[in-house]
């Protein structure tokens, strides 16, 4: 009998169990010398309809040894991959590489990154300037809304009392203890700490410097009015107050609140700037415009002095989209009928460094957060 030469010298025949991810299963008979690439091509011809016209079809598939989870190399033979009879192989398709992004997608992604970038110094300064204008206008709205409340007088007396408590709460007990242990009277120590932003060192210097000052024990503006306002709050009967008297009393309370929030220049910065030759009024203006920051105030004095102190009292255009969006916000609307929000606005207006305190307050913080978000959103469009 005649036998072909390649059959005589052919290697051992293996029966391999092939499976695909789609659930197809079959047996492939191969010799030990068969290459993995050849085996993969035979598998694709078995399960692919229409043949292998696309040359990428083979390279986009791979064979995996099911037991060891090894990916078989196309350049090796069956015996080199140590495949055994009845081994199970998985034929799977490689994941297609991600398509390159379109230019429109790149632009959108870049825009998103720009929006997520931290605001630069110019953006922060713009927000601070606009925030002051917003606060000026919101104070007017809040006063009008609260004045319409039948219990307006009592509300503002309560607000005034809250303000007194707030002032008391601001005294750092540890700092006060340090000064009193040095021998300074408590009332003077409290005054010094309030004037020097709770800095023990600066308060001590202020106390020593003003030790012979005849007005050292004089109360700060508004401190003497607290007891009187509370006494009136206890005795007044809203139902007996006529409308005109009510408006007069409200006006008086507004003035008291504003007096307690008067701007207080930082003493060390004021002395340093006056020693440079600037007079007291322009130094106070510079520190007020620049939130008690000495370096910024110096630049303002030496520069074009913009914005001017008069501009600080100007509100935002009430017809502007920004202000309308703020007034339309439900959180802001609720905040405007809360006396504490008015106090927060007044305080931040004259003492911007206290903004963090009000941002962390559970009643006023959400209002300030909404104002900030609305501003940032409208300035991106």
């Amino acid at each position: 009998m005649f036998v072909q030469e390649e059959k005589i010298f052919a290697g051992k025949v293996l029966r391999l169990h092939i499976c695909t991810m789609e659930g197809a299963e079959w047996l492939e008979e191969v010799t030990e010398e068969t290459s993995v690439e050849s085996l993969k091509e035979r598998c694709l011809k078995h399960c692919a309809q229409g043949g292998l016209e696309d040359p990428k079809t083979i390279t986009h598939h791979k064979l995996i040894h099911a037991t060891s989870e090894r990916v078989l190399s196309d350049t090796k033979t069956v015996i080199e991959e140590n495949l055994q009879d009845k081994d199970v192989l998985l034929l799977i398709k490689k994941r297609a590489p991600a398509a390159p992004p379109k230019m429109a997608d790149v632009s959108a992604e870049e825009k998103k990154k720009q929006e997520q970038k931290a605001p630069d110094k110019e953006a922060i300064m713009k927000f601070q300037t606009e925030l002051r204008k917003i606060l000026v206008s919101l104070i007017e709205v809040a006063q009008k809304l609260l004045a319409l409340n039948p219990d307006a007088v009592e509300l503002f007396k309560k607000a005034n009392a809250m303000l007194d408590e707030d002032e008391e709460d601001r005294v750092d007990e540890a700092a006060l203890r340090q000064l009193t242990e040095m021998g300074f009277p408590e009332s003077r120590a409290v005054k010094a700490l309030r004037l020097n932003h709770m800095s023990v060192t600066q308060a001590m210097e202020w106390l020593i410097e003003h030790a012979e000052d005849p007005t050292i024990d004089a109360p700060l503006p508004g401190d003497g009015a607290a007891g009187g306002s509370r006494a009136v709050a206890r005795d007044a009967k809203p139902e007996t107050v006529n409308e005109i008297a009510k408006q007069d009393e409200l006006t008086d309370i507004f003035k008291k609140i504003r007096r307690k929030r008067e701007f207080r220049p930082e003493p060390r910065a004021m002395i340093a700037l006056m020693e440079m030759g600037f007079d007291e009024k322009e130094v106070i203006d510079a520190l007020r415009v620049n939130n008690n920051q000495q370096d910024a105030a110096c630049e303002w004095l030496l520069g074009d002095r913009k914005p001017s102190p008069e501009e600080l009292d100007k509100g935002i255009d009430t017809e502007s989209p920004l202000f309308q969006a703020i007034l339309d916000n439900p959180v802001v609307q609720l905040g405007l009928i809360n006396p504490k929000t008015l106090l927060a606005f007044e305080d931040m207006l004259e003492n911007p460094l206290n903004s963090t305190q009000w941002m962390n307050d559970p009643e006023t913080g959400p209002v300030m957060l909404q104002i900030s978000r609305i501003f940032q959103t409208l300035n991106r469009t």
Side-chain angles (χ1 to χ4, degrees):
M1 182 178 68
F2 178 76
V3 180
Q4 291 182 357
E5 185 177 352
E6 58 269 23
K7 292 285 184 181
I8 297 174
F9 297 101
K12 180 182 176 182
V13 176
L14 304 178
R15 292 164 60 86
L16 300 175
H17 194 145
I18 311 297
C19 301
T20 68
M21 297 301 291
E22 290 75 24
E25 298 182 28
W26 69 93
L27 292 174
E28 286 283 355
E29 292 187 353
V30 295
T31 65
E32 293 176 327
E33 303 301 325
T34 304
S35 68
V36 172
E37 183 176 22
S38 176
L39 172 59
K40 185 166 64 174
E41 186 175 348
R42 286 167 59 179
C43 291
L44 288 169
K45 285 179 179 178
H46 180 92
C47 64
Q49 297 180 355
L52 303 173
E53 290 82 1
D54 185 356
K56 293 181 180 179
T57 302
I58 296 177
T59 58
H60 285 176
H61 286 77
K62 56 186 175 182
L63 284 168
I64 296 178
H65 189 264
T67 306
S68 63
E69 299 182 357
R70 288 184 297 110
V71 177
L72 305 184
S73 171
D74 289 353
T75 59
K76 291 184 178 180
T77 63
V78 168
I79 192 171
E80 287 173 338
E81 285 290 5
N82 197 28
L83 296 183
Q84 304 296 321
D85 191 41
K86 299 182 181 179
D87 276 353
V88 178
L89 303 182
L90 299 177
L91 176 68
I92 66 172
K93 188 175 183 179
K94 296 179 183 178
R95 288 183 180 177
K102 299 177 182 178
M103 287 306 297
D105 296 335
V106 173
S107 300
E109 184 67 23
E110 191 63 30
K111 184 179 179 182
K112 185 177 179 182
K113 288 180 181 178
Q114 289 293 328
E115 290 176 354
Q116 293 176 344
K117 278 176 58 179
D120 55 22
K121 184 178 179 181
E122 184 178 348
I124 293 172
M125 290 299 294
K126 181 179 179 182
F127 174 65
Q128 289 177 343
T129 302
E130 289 301 309
L131 177 61
R132 184 175 183 87
K133 293 179 181 179
I134 292 168
L135 292 178
V136 169
S137 296
L138 286 178
I139 285 172
E140 294 180 7
V141 175
Q143 287 182 348
K144 290 176 182 177
L145 288 174
L146 288 163
L148 293 174
N149 191 311
D151 301 320
V153 174
E154 289 303 317
L155 281 172
F156 280 103
K157 284 175 181 173
K158 180 182 176 183
N160 206 23
M162 286 166 54
L163 184 57
D164 293 332
E165 293 168 5
D166 181 50
E167 288 292 342
E168 292 168 7
D169 291 342
R170 282 195 196 166
V171 178
D172 187 321
E173 293 298 331
L176 180 60
R177 193 181 310 113
Q178 289 185 52
L179 292 175
T180 54
E181 287 176 354
M182 293 178 192
F184 296 109
E186 184 174 332
S187 59
R188 292 186 183 184
V190 169
K191 181 178 180 178
L193 286 169
R194 287 180 180 169
L195 285 172
N196 293 279
H197 306 287
M198 298 300 145
S199 168
V200 175
T201 304
Q202 294 180 21
M204 181 178 65
E205 291 178 1
W206 184 90
L207 287 164
I208 295 171
E209 183 181 344
H210 293 81
E212 304 301 323
D213 190 337
T215 63
I216 190 171
D217 293 316
L220 292 171
D223 282 358
S229 66
R230 280 192 282 265
V232 173
R234 286 194 300 269
D235 301 335
K237 296 180 180 179
E239 63 269 19
T240 65
V241 180
N242 62 40
E243 198 62 31
I244 297 175
K246 173 184 168 184
Q247 291 300 326
D248 289 342
E249 194 167 3
L250 279 175
T251 302
D252 184 55
I253 293 172
F254 287 150
K255 287 179 180 177
K256 287 178 181 177
I257 292 174
R258 177 59 66 89
R259 273 203 306 274
K260 290 180 182 179
R261 295 307 191 188
E262 283 178 356
F263 173 74
R264 296 169 185 169
E266 204 281 315
R268 292 167 65 89
M270 188 166 176
I271 292 170
L273 293 171
M274 289 179 67
E275 286 177 349
M276 294 174 64
F278 301 107
D279 65 46
E280 183 177 353
K281 183 183 181 305
E282 59 184 355
V283 168
I284 292 174
D285 287 344
L287 290 171
R288 182 169 176 243
V289 169
N290 294 280
N291 304 332
N292 263 331
Q293 301 298 311
Q294 182 179 326
D295 292 342
C298 183
E299 291 180 13
W300 184 88
L301 288 164
L302 297 172
D304 58 6
R305 303 196 178 188
K306 297 290 183 180
S308 66
E310 293 73 22
E311 290 177 53
L312 295 181
D313 297 322
K314 291 182 179 178
I316 192 173
D317 179 6
T318 55
E319 300 298 323
S320 67
L322 172 59
F323 194 65
Q324 291 301 315
I326 291 172
L327 289 184
D328 289 342
N329 186 277
V331 176
V332 176
Q333 290 173 3
L334 288 173
L336 291 176
I337 57 176
N338 182 351
K340 193 172 184 180
T341 305
L342 178 60
L343 296 181
F345 290 167
E346 292 276 9
D347 189 22
M348 287 185 286
L349 202 60
E350 297 304 330
N351 301 287
L353 295 178
N354 293 338
S355 297
T356 303
Q357 167 196 332
W358 295 112
M359 286 291 289
N360 293 329
D361 186 277
E363 291 183 64
T364 59
V367 178
M368 296 307 302
L369 181 61
Q370 291 300 317
I371 292 172
S372 174
R373 284 178 174 171
I374 292 169
F375 178 86
Q376 299 297 340
T377 300
L378 292 184
N379 272 271
R380 287 197 198 109
T381 56

